mmCIF file of all heavy atoms in Angstrom:
data_model
loop_
_atom_site.group_PDB
_atom_site.id
_atom_site.type_symbol
_atom_site.label_atom_id
_atom_site.label_comp_id
_atom_site.label_asym_id
_atom_site.label_seq_id
_atom_site.Cartn_x
_atom_site.Cartn_y
_atom_site.Cartn_z
ATOM 1 N N ILE P 20 -5.330 5.408 19.964
ATOM 2 C CA ILE P 20 -4.183 5.505 20.868
ATOM 3 C C ILE P 20 -2.881 5.304 20.085
ATOM 4 O O ILE P 20 -1.896 6.015 20.281
ATOM 5 C CB ILE P 20 -4.312 4.475 22.001
ATOM 6 C CG1 ILE P 20 -5.498 4.817 22.885
ATOM 7 C CG2 ILE P 20 -3.059 4.435 22.844
ATOM 8 C CD1 ILE P 20 -5.766 3.798 23.958
ATOM 9 N N GLY P 21 -2.917 4.333 19.151
ATOM 10 C CA GLY P 21 -1.722 4.113 18.350
ATOM 11 C C GLY P 21 -1.363 5.337 17.525
ATOM 12 O O GLY P 21 -0.200 5.715 17.438
ATOM 13 N N PHE P 22 -2.379 5.977 16.954
ATOM 14 C CA PHE P 22 -2.110 7.160 16.125
ATOM 15 C C PHE P 22 -1.525 8.282 16.963
ATOM 16 O O PHE P 22 -0.640 9.011 16.527
ATOM 17 C CB PHE P 22 -3.402 7.622 15.458
ATOM 18 C CG PHE P 22 -3.227 8.808 14.557
ATOM 19 C CD1 PHE P 22 -2.649 8.652 13.317
ATOM 20 C CD2 PHE P 22 -3.616 10.055 14.959
ATOM 21 C CE1 PHE P 22 -2.471 9.729 12.489
ATOM 22 C CE2 PHE P 22 -3.442 11.145 14.131
ATOM 23 C CZ PHE P 22 -2.868 10.975 12.897
ATOM 24 N N LEU P 23 -2.031 8.427 18.201
ATOM 25 C CA LEU P 23 -1.580 9.565 19.001
ATOM 26 C C LEU P 23 -0.226 9.313 19.653
ATOM 27 O O LEU P 23 0.511 10.255 19.916
ATOM 28 C CB LEU P 23 -2.619 9.901 20.071
ATOM 29 C CG LEU P 23 -3.914 10.485 19.552
ATOM 30 C CD1 LEU P 23 -4.890 10.692 20.678
ATOM 31 C CD2 LEU P 23 -3.669 11.803 18.854
ATOM 32 N N THR P 24 0.101 8.039 19.932
ATOM 33 C CA THR P 24 1.332 7.804 20.686
ATOM 34 C C THR P 24 2.529 7.510 19.799
ATOM 35 O O THR P 24 3.634 7.929 20.132
ATOM 36 C CB THR P 24 1.171 6.635 21.662
ATOM 37 O OG1 THR P 24 0.649 5.538 20.964
ATOM 38 C CG2 THR P 24 0.268 6.998 22.798
ATOM 39 N N ARG P 25 2.347 6.776 18.713
ATOM 40 C CA ARG P 25 3.522 6.403 17.932
ATOM 41 C C ARG P 25 4.083 7.618 17.211
ATOM 42 O O ARG P 25 3.344 8.535 16.846
ATOM 43 C CB ARG P 25 3.186 5.322 16.901
ATOM 44 C CG ARG P 25 2.813 3.986 17.466
ATOM 45 C CD ARG P 25 3.741 3.491 18.523
ATOM 46 N NE ARG P 25 5.068 3.170 18.032
ATOM 47 C CZ ARG P 25 5.572 1.941 17.983
ATOM 48 N NH1 ARG P 25 4.862 0.931 18.367
ATOM 49 N NH2 ARG P 25 6.802 1.747 17.556
ATOM 50 N N LYS P 26 5.410 7.611 17.015
ATOM 51 C CA LYS P 26 6.033 8.715 16.300
ATOM 52 C C LYS P 26 6.510 8.304 14.916
ATOM 53 O O LYS P 26 6.945 9.138 14.144
ATOM 54 C CB LYS P 26 7.230 9.235 17.097
ATOM 55 C CG LYS P 26 6.831 9.955 18.361
ATOM 56 C CD LYS P 26 8.055 10.429 19.079
ATOM 57 C CE LYS P 26 7.700 11.211 20.315
ATOM 58 N NZ LYS P 26 8.899 11.532 21.080
ATOM 59 N N ILE K 17 0.901 -1.124 19.921
ATOM 60 C CA ILE K 17 1.262 0.209 20.373
ATOM 61 C C ILE K 17 2.657 0.221 20.987
ATOM 62 O O ILE K 17 3.392 1.191 20.842
ATOM 63 C CB ILE K 17 0.194 0.726 21.358
ATOM 64 C CG1 ILE K 17 -1.110 0.922 20.615
ATOM 65 C CG2 ILE K 17 0.610 2.031 21.980
ATOM 66 C CD1 ILE K 17 -2.277 1.158 21.503
ATOM 67 N N LEU K 83 7.394 6.918 23.233
ATOM 68 C CA LEU K 83 6.012 7.165 22.843
ATOM 69 C C LEU K 83 5.676 8.610 23.153
ATOM 70 O O LEU K 83 6.285 9.244 24.014
ATOM 71 C CB LEU K 83 5.062 6.232 23.592
ATOM 72 C CG LEU K 83 5.225 4.757 23.267
ATOM 73 C CD1 LEU K 83 4.291 3.938 24.116
ATOM 74 C CD2 LEU K 83 4.955 4.499 21.807
ATOM 75 N N ASN K 84 4.703 9.122 22.447
ATOM 76 C CA ASN K 84 4.306 10.511 22.593
ATOM 77 C C ASN K 84 3.188 10.601 23.635
ATOM 78 O O ASN K 84 2.054 10.276 23.338
ATOM 79 C CB ASN K 84 3.844 11.038 21.231
ATOM 80 C CG ASN K 84 3.530 12.486 21.258
ATOM 81 O OD1 ASN K 84 3.956 13.185 22.167
ATOM 82 N ND2 ASN K 84 2.788 12.934 20.278
ATOM 83 N N PRO K 86 2.208 8.814 26.464
ATOM 84 C CA PRO K 86 1.365 7.599 26.501
ATOM 85 C C PRO K 86 0.289 7.633 27.572
ATOM 86 O O PRO K 86 -0.827 7.148 27.326
ATOM 87 C CB PRO K 86 2.388 6.489 26.767
ATOM 88 C CG PRO K 86 3.568 7.162 27.320
ATOM 89 C CD PRO K 86 3.612 8.541 26.782
ATOM 90 N N THR K 89 -2.649 9.930 26.658
ATOM 91 C CA THR K 89 -3.388 9.352 25.538
ATOM 92 C C THR K 89 -4.208 8.150 25.978
ATOM 93 O O THR K 89 -5.327 7.946 25.505
ATOM 94 C CB THR K 89 -2.409 8.947 24.439
ATOM 95 O OG1 THR K 89 -1.471 9.979 24.264
ATOM 96 C CG2 THR K 89 -3.121 8.692 23.157
#
Side-chain angles (χ1 to χ4, degrees):
Chain P
I20 294 175
F22 182 75
L23 291 176
T24 51
R25 293 312 293 247
K26 290 180 177 173
Chain K
I17 294 169
L83 295 177
N84 185 18
T89 316

